[in-house]
């Protein structure tokens, strides 16, 4: 059966969509703008906009320093406990802190220090570059005693799962991967990789940035050791909102925070001159949190918890399948290539399409067609599906506008010079 490519069919899917009403909970300032970049910066929840006003005017403006005892101090744990429910962790295994990159640094150093007899770190070339930069820095910091092996993907789309498992032995200290790859959207089998790493005595450190809020994650079920992730993508936490980190409960006391600051001290307000780590996840904090953007994470997390990850994932799979169906019928004949896994079990919540004119098409979509995807070199146009607010009509309209750009050669007026943020 071929997929109907008409707008009426998209509208009929929207009419049957059990999550359709959640779009109302977000600010949609321009209804003609098709936003497919929720995997990079999620939309603003209306509740977050309201909270921002309260935070600034009442909490900061009126309560002043009393705010610390009225919820600010506990916010990293309180919001961490809610994020834990989205990723199959216990409430006392997740805390919000710093950026994903900084959290990765803290946990990678901690993991290597507690595995002194082992020298190798395994990762892949689909990982987020910042993760590899951080790992390179960690290797240097620890005196060059470790070696990072970046296992290449067989096709630039799928993770090198078998090759990676084949490299495991008693010298591997740490396996660290993006659970969902940022370019292709490939999703690793977390339980399988973790079990193999554990059989070799290695620890695992997962980057959940492109999974949390979009892809089911069961850290406890997979017996995962460590994880980090971002809150401004599918959690809709706002630009630059702080990240989170997860440490399995039985590892928490064994691991130290290499950036040992006063927020991770056992009794910060004793102002003792000697550092003693707090018990539990609080030890992974460092300095004063950016309270305004920290607090604004909570409304987006609440929306996902209320909608339910199962329903979110079901819609995400249905929408990426629909998008791939439209690609096959409409865009493949125009030179677009599918650069994401076909198998929905192995695909996150975005679809990457390659095209020889990818960057110029992306620029024409943004500037002339009211479509906001994003672009990842060399040729990927990423179409992100955020099930709480992306409609089937959005996807249909975007595909038709992409087709129009190519058919009308509207990209020709752009040069292939990338803007600062793509
Ligand atoms: C977005 C993203 C990050 C972001 O890192 P920051 O330190 O918050 O800038 C990290 N890792 C992955 C896989 C990402 O997708």
């Amino acid at each position: 059966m071929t997929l109907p490519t008409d707008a009426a069919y998209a509208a009929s899917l929207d009419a049957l969509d059990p999550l359709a009403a959640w779009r109302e909970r977000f600010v949609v300032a321009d209804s003609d703008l098709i936003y497919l970049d929720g995997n990079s910066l999620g939309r603003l929840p209306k509740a977050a906009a309201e909270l921002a006003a309260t935070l600034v005017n009442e909490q900061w403006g009126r309560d002043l320093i009393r705010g610390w005892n009225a919820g600010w101090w506990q916010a990293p744990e309180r919001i961490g406990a809610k994020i834990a429910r989205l990723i199959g962790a216990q409430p006392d295994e997740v805390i919000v802190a710093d950026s994903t990159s900084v959290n990765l640094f803290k946990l990678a150093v901690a993991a290597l220090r507690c595995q002194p007899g082992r020298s190798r770190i395994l990762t892949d070339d689909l990982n987020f570059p910042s993760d590899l930069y951080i790992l390179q820095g960690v290797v240097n910091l620890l005196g060059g005693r470790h070696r990072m092996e970046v296992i290449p993907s067989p096709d630039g789309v799928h993770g090198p799962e078998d090759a990676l498992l084949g490299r495991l032995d008693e010298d591997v200290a740490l396996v660290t991967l993006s659970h969902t790859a940022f370019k292709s959207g490939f999703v690793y089998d977390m339980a399988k990789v973790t079990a193999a790493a554990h059989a070799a005595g290695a620890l695992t450190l997962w980057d959940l940035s492109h999974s949390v809020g979009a892809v089911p994650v069961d850290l406890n079920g997979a017996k995962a050791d460590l994880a980090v992730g971002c809150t401004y993508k599918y959690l809709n936490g706002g630009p630059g909102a702080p990240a989170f980190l997860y440490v399995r409960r039985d590892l928490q006391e064994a691991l130290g925070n290499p950036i040992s600051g006063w927020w991770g001290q056992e009794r910060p307000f004793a102002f003792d001159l000697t550092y003693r780590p707090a018990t539990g996840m609080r030890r992974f904090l460092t300095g004063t949190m950016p309270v305004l953007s920290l607090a604004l994470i909570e409304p987006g997390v609440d929306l996902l918890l209320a909608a339910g990850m199962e329903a979110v994932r079901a819609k995400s799979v249905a929408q990426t399948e629909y998008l791939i169906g439209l690609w096959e019928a409409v865009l493949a004949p125009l030179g677009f290539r599918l650069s994401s896994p076909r198998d929905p079990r192995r695909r996150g919540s975005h679809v990457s399409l390659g095209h020889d004119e990818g960057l110029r098409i992306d620029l024409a979509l943004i500037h002339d067609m009211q479509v906001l995807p994003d672009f990842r070199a060399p040729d990927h146009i990423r179409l992100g599906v955020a099930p709480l607010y992306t409609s089937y009509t959005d996807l249909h309209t975007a595909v038709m506008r992409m087709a129009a750009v190519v058919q009308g050669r509207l990209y020709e007026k752009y040069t292939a010079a990338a803007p600062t943020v793509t």
Side-chain angles (χ1 to χ4, degrees):
M1 199 195 93
T2 53
L3 181 81
T5 57
D6 54 316
Y9 181 66
S12 74
L13 295 175
D14 283 326
L16 292 171
D17 171 13
L19 293 184
W22 290 91
R23 184 179 171 100
E24 297 298 316
R25 307 288 199 96
F26 292 87
V27 173
V28 179
D30 175 355
S31 59
D32 189 47
L33 176 74
I34 308 297
Y35 191 61
L36 298 179
D37 223 348
N39 55 325
S40 205
L41 177 66
R43 278 190 187 275
L44 169 63
K46 286 176 181 166
E50 286 161 21
L51 177 60
T54 310
L55 261 176
V56 171
N57 296 320
E58 293 177 27
Q59 297 187 21
W60 177 14
R62 184 195 63 206
D63 298 348
L64 293 163
I65 201 161
R66 292 168 291 192
W68 288 112
N69 286 325
W72 297 349
W73 182 260
Q74 299 302 336
E77 287 128 311
R78 187 181 69 245
I79 300 170
K82 289 186 175 183
I83 294 172
R85 291 163 56 195
L86 298 173
I87 54 178
Q90 300 306 305
D92 60 354
E93 291 179 319
V94 179
I95 199 159
V96 177
D98 306 312
S99 66
T100 306
S101 302
V102 170
N103 289 333
L104 188 86
F105 172 85
K106 293 186 292 194
L107 294 187
V109 170
L112 295 179
R113 283 190 171 149
C114 81
Q115 302 265 81
R118 294 169 176 253
S119 72
R120 279 163 48 232
I121 305 165
L122 298 186
T123 185
D124 72 7
D125 68 352
L126 299 184
N127 206 347
F128 194 62
S130 187
D131 292 38
L132 301 188
Y133 306 157
I134 292 290
L135 295 169
Q136 289 160 27
V138 166
V139 168
N140 289 337
L141 177 81
L142 297 182
R145 290 182 292 107
H146 298 87
R147 189 157 51 87
M148 177 171 82
E149 285 179 30
V150 184
I151 318 287
S153 157
D155 55 3
V157 173
H158 296 83
E161 209 163 88
D162 292 336
L164 200 115
L165 300 192
R167 302 293 301 160
L168 278 165
D169 59 33
E170 70 287 348
D171 188 39
V172 175
L174 184 66
V175 177
T176 180
L177 297 163
S178 289
H179 178 237
T180 301
F182 81 105
K183 265 191 208 174
S184 71
F186 170 81
V187 180
Y188 269 102
D189 182 338
M190 181 184 283
K192 181 177 166 191
V193 173
T194 303
H198 286 175
L203 293 170
T204 53
L205 168 46
W206 295 95
D207 188 333
L208 305 178
S209 293
H210 274 276
S211 297
V212 62
V215 175
V217 178
D218 185 3
L219 289 168
N220 286 167
K223 300 191 170 62
D225 304 295
L226 308 166
V228 297
C230 165
T231 64
Y232 49 77
K233 293 170 181 161
Y234 295 106
L235 296 189
N236 308 302
F244 63 89
L245 54 93
Y246 154 90
V247 180
R248 210 180 61 218
R249 193 184 279 145
D250 61 292
L251 283 173
Q252 289 173 11
E253 305 303 310
L255 298 185
N257 181 353
I259 319 178
S260 47
W262 73 303
W263 271 53
Q265 156 76 357
E266 191 179 23
R267 291 166 58 225
F269 288 93
F271 296 107
D272 196 336
L273 298 188
T274 305
Y275 176 77
R276 263 188 301 275
T279 51
M281 289 305 288
R282 197 109 196 157
R283 70 175 51 196
F284 296 102
L285 300 182
T286 295
T288 305
M289 292 287 292
V291 171
L292 301 181
S293 53
L294 166 66
L296 294 181
I297 297 169
E298 202 162 3
V301 175
D302 285 340
L303 289 177
L304 280 159
L305 287 171
M309 276 309 299
E310 261 177 49
V312 167
R313 173 61 175 173
K315 182 173 172 187
S316 164
V317 169
Q319 290 195 305
T320 54
E321 287 284 288
Y322 175 65
L323 196 47
I324 289 173
L326 288 180
W327 159 75
E328 202 157 36
V330 178
L331 296 178
L334 297 173
F336 287 92
R337 300 173 289 271
L338 180 65
S339 305
S340 289
R342 275 310 280 252
D343 179 354
R345 290 166 304 177
R346 283 314 181 90
R347 189 171 67 232
S349 204
H350 70 266
V351 172
S352 271
L353 298 178
H355 193 285
D356 292 345
E357 293 291 354
L359 179 56
R360 295 162 86 197
I361 294 169
D362 182 63
L363 293 171
L365 287 169
I366 294 169
H367 297 294
D368 303 327
M369 302 304 276
Q370 289 274 79
V371 178
L372 286 186
D374 67 17
F375 180 79
R376 291 292 174 263
D379 64 355
H380 292 79
I381 295 174
R382 282 195 316 186
L383 307 172
V385 165
L388 288 188
Y389 53 77
T390 303
S391 67
Y392 290 88
T393 299
D394 283 343
L395 300 177
H396 181 267
T397 309
V399 166
M400 294 306 148
R401 292 182 191 175
M402 288 170 80
V405 165
V406 175
Q407 278 159 343
R409 305 185 80 83
L410 305 181
Y411 57 84
E412 284 182 345
K413 72 183 212 212
Y414 293 96
T415 57
T420 312
V421 176
T422 60

